Amino acid sequence: MSNANILLGVNIDHFATLRQARYRDAGRLNGQMVEPDPMVLSLLSEKAGADGITVHPREDERHIQRGDVLRIRENIQTRLNMEMAATDDMLAFALEVKPDSICIVPENREEVTTEGGLDVAGNFERIAAIVESAWNAGIETSLFIDPDPDQIVASAKAKASHIELHTGAYANAYYESGRSEEFARLVEGSERAHSAGLIVNAGHGINYVNIKEVRTLPHLNELNIGHSIISRSVFYGIDEAVREMKALIIGG
Ligand code: PXP
């Protein structure tokens, strides 16, 4: 089956992680270009067929920097999706950047990457207020949630346009007995969200193996993929890494 309409958002943060491993202070102090530059890698990802670029500036800027996000916004030709914590500071930055979409994610200082889904139901007022401010600025909002019925209902109630289903638990269970159960939860979550009028994206832990099953999720609009693409680019270059993932998403 062909999935020609499923979009690929390349999460380029991990290139910034690599740069920060060496140039943690230099980039921040004088704004000089130090390699690898996530902006250049965003342009190369687009050239290879990415439908959008995803960035996740964190409060402590430990990966991608705000300056990177602004340069990426200015230079890319496709869509910019900015993942962000539900804070006033990040909302103010989003309103300055004006990405095409924001994706609200939970954020802990200590985590290496985003760990669990957002608790929309438990932080309803705050999240609904951010959705409204973004909408008034012409920015779409996605909420990064587990495929939990309560979170899906709360996301629709908060008037988000999209959800991003957290595929991390499924990816972690891929080689274990819980895989089909986790996949069934995603299928059910996607059906439920679609029925509630939400556009369904998915992301986290998607790689060149599990994509063959992930792409069969119903109603998929976009997949946001970072680690596996960046890792493959170390061996084959970003162009081939993106092209191959895009070809696998589309299937045949
Ligand atoms: N989507 C969201 C909301 C994320 O936080 C992340 C991780 O940064 C991703 C997608 C990409 O995950 P991965 O790097 O595992 O592909």
Side-chain angles (χ1 to χ4, degrees):
M1 199 184 81
S2 171
N3 299 295
N5 296 330
I6 301 176
L7 305 174
L8 169 61
V10 175
N11 187 323
I12 47 94
D13 286 352
H14 300 304
F15 283 124
T17 307
L18 179 59
R19 179 193 59 193
Q20 296 308 104
R22 175 70 190 259
Y23 292 111
R24 198 175 53 213
D25 299 325
R28 189 172 296 174
L29 290 180
N30 56 25
Q32 71 188 27
M33 298 275 217
V34 284
E35 56 188 10
D37 182 357
M39 197 275 282
V40 173
L41 286 151
S42 300
L43 299 182
L44 293 173
S45 298
E46 284 189 317
K47 195 159 161 275
D51 301 293
I53 301 298
T54 292
V55 293
H56 183 180
R58 287 166 184 266
E59 183 203 353
D60 59 6
E61 296 196 289
R62 67 177 179 271
H63 302 149
I64 202 146
Q65 314 277 289
R66 293 186 182 209
D68 294 323
V69 177
L70 289 164
R71 282 192 305 122
I72 290 167
R73 166 77 295 183
E74 261 175 46
N75 288 288
I76 63 170
Q77 304 293 319
T78 58
R79 301 179 74 257
L80 179 66
N81 174 42
M82 189 180 114
E83 296 173 0
M84 54 174 261
T87 64
D88 293 342
D89 184 40
M90 272 300 156
L91 175 62
F93 182 57
L95 296 177
E96 181 190 342
V97 174
K98 288 210 172 20
D100 298 275
S101 56
I102 55 171
C103 177
I104 307 180
V105 300
E107 203 172 291
N108 301 323
R109 251 176 189 273
E110 295 77 24
E111 69 189 3
V112 176
T113 181
T114 314
E115 280 163 0
L118 186 68
D119 181 7
V120 183
N123 298 282
F124 186 79
E125 304 299 330
R126 167 162 287 273
I127 288 167
I130 294 177
V131 172
E132 190 181 3
S133 302
W135 183 254
N136 290 338
I139 302 168
E140 293 174 338
T141 302
S142 178
L143 303 177
F144 184 53
I145 57 169
D146 291 318
D148 169 338
D150 291 346
Q151 300 299 343
I152 293 167
V153 169
S155 299
K157 202 166 146 214
K159 297 197 166 60
S161 52
H162 296 59
I163 55 158
E164 181 169 321
L165 286 175
H166 194 322
T167 47
Y170 159 79
N172 288 340
Y174 191 78
Y175 294 104
E176 288 162 21
S177 57
R179 165 179 163 189
S180 56
E181 198 180 311
E182 290 296 344
F183 193 69
R185 285 182 71 217
L186 290 168
V187 171
E188 202 180 305
S190 188
E191 296 286 10
R192 199 180 286 266
H194 178 73
S195 305
L198 291 157
I199 299 170
V200 180
N201 297 337
H204 214 283
I206 300 173
N207 59 36
Y208 292 81
V209 176
N210 63 28
I211 184 60
K212 290 169 197 152
E213 186 166 54
V214 171
R215 75 183 183 199
T216 67
L217 280 173
H219 313 299
L220 260 190
N221 172 64
E222 180 175 66
L223 295 170
N224 283 304
I225 309 179
H227 186 85
S228 64
I229 292 179
I230 292 2
S231 301
R232 184 153 298 211
S233 77
V234 172
F235 296 103
Y236 302 108
I238 189 66
D239 191 84
E240 192 172 326
V242 172
R243 274 180 210 284
E244 192 181 341
M245 184 57 87
K246 184 74 193 175
L248 286 170
I249 291 172
I250 291 171

